[in-house]
Amino acid sequence: MPSSAAAAPYTWDDFVALDEDDPRELIDGELVEVEVPKWKHEQIVGLLCFFLVEWAQSGHGGRVVPSGYKLRVSARRGIMPDVQFYREGNDAPIDQQDGLVDGRPDLVVEVVSPSSQRYDRVTKLRWYERLGIPEYWLVDSAVRTVERRVLRDGTYVIAASFSEDETFRPESFEGLEIALSKLWQ
């Protein structure tokens, strides 16, 4: 991933103008192709969306957005989290069809792949902190873990870690239970 590219010409407007199926993200003014997700990655994303939608529709409210909806970090940075969740009353994306410029999700989730470890655990983490996103889940199917990070004083701290066949019960989503063994199947 580029770290600094003063001459890189691309902006948020170029990023949101890309075709819907274009897998690039805007990183420091460059449109960088990200790895096309594999079966396991997309299966986990789909299941997480299912569990969150089911939870929201059971009376908790909120909206779930899967991979592909663009999130503006800055004029020269834009990314597409694997899952975004907007709580009841957070209507930020409703009038922002091309990508989120104003506001923030209440939760972002990244399903880590071997090639995205550093990007998800360091770069995106810092960007999500800067945006003030209250919660960040990192799901790593290679080691079968879920880390729940919460924002405290502008920095993410690990609130809980779960692995293998444990049941993930995030405190901020009262009543949500995800048997992790279902994610690894």
Side-chain angles (χ1 to χ4, degrees), residues 62-180:
R63 290 186 172 82
V64 179
V65 182
S67 307
Y69 184 65
K70 296 171 178 163
L71 181 60
R72 184 180 192 271
V73 177
S74 72
R76 295 168 39 88
R77 292 181 179 154
I79 51 182
M80 297 177 289
D82 290 325
V83 179
Q84 298 177 52
F85 184 81
Y86 296 82
R87 291 191 179 277
E88 184 84 19
N90 182 355
D91 296 329
I94 300 296
D95 295 327
Q96 300 178 68
Q97 293 299 307
D98 293 333
L100 190 68
V101 174
D102 296 314
R104 60 159 173 71
D106 296 291
L107 164 70
V108 290
V109 181
E110 294 291 352
V111 178
V112 179
S113 63
S115 66
S116 72
Q117 285 280 339
R118 184 179 185 285
Y119 186 47
D120 291 337
R121 293 184 179 280
V122 179
T123 305
K124 283 187 173 182
L125 180 137
R126 288 180 184 150
W127 291 349
Y128 295 149
E129 284 175 338
R130 191 173 313 138
L131 292 171
I133 298 170
E135 195 156 338
Y136 181 27
W137 299 350
L138 282 153
V139 180
D140 190 332
S141 65
V143 292
R144 297 182 175 195
T145 60
V146 174
E147 289 178 8
R148 178 177 169 258
R149 295 177 179 253
V150 296
L151 200 60
R152 293 204 181 117
D153 300 320
T155 303
Y156 283 120
V157 296
I158 297 174
S161 294
F162 299 85
S163 65
E164 294 292 332
D165 60 351
E166 292 182 292
T167 300
F168 178 46
R169 295 179 183 95
E171 293 173 16
S172 56
F173 288 80
E174 186 179 336
L176 176 63
E177 294 188 359
I178 301 173
L180 294 185

Side-chain angles (χ1 to χ4, degrees), residues 6-57:
Y10 298 104
T11 66
W12 171 257
D13 291 335
D14 299 311
F15 180 50
V16 296
L18 296 174
D19 290 335
E20 284 186 31
D21 60 349
D22 193 315
R24 293 180 290 175
E25 292 187 329
L26 178 65
I27 303 169
D28 298 325
E30 290 188 39
L31 291 170
V32 178
E33 191 164 335
V34 294
E35 182 180 343
V36 175
K38 296 191 166 99
W39 167 264
K40 188 61 167 170
H41 179 279
E42 290 300 274
Q43 182 181 11
I44 291 171
V45 168
L47 285 167
L48 290 169
C49 287
F50 168 78
F51 289 123
L52 286 166
V53 166
E54 188 176 66
W55 179 83
Q57 291 180 349

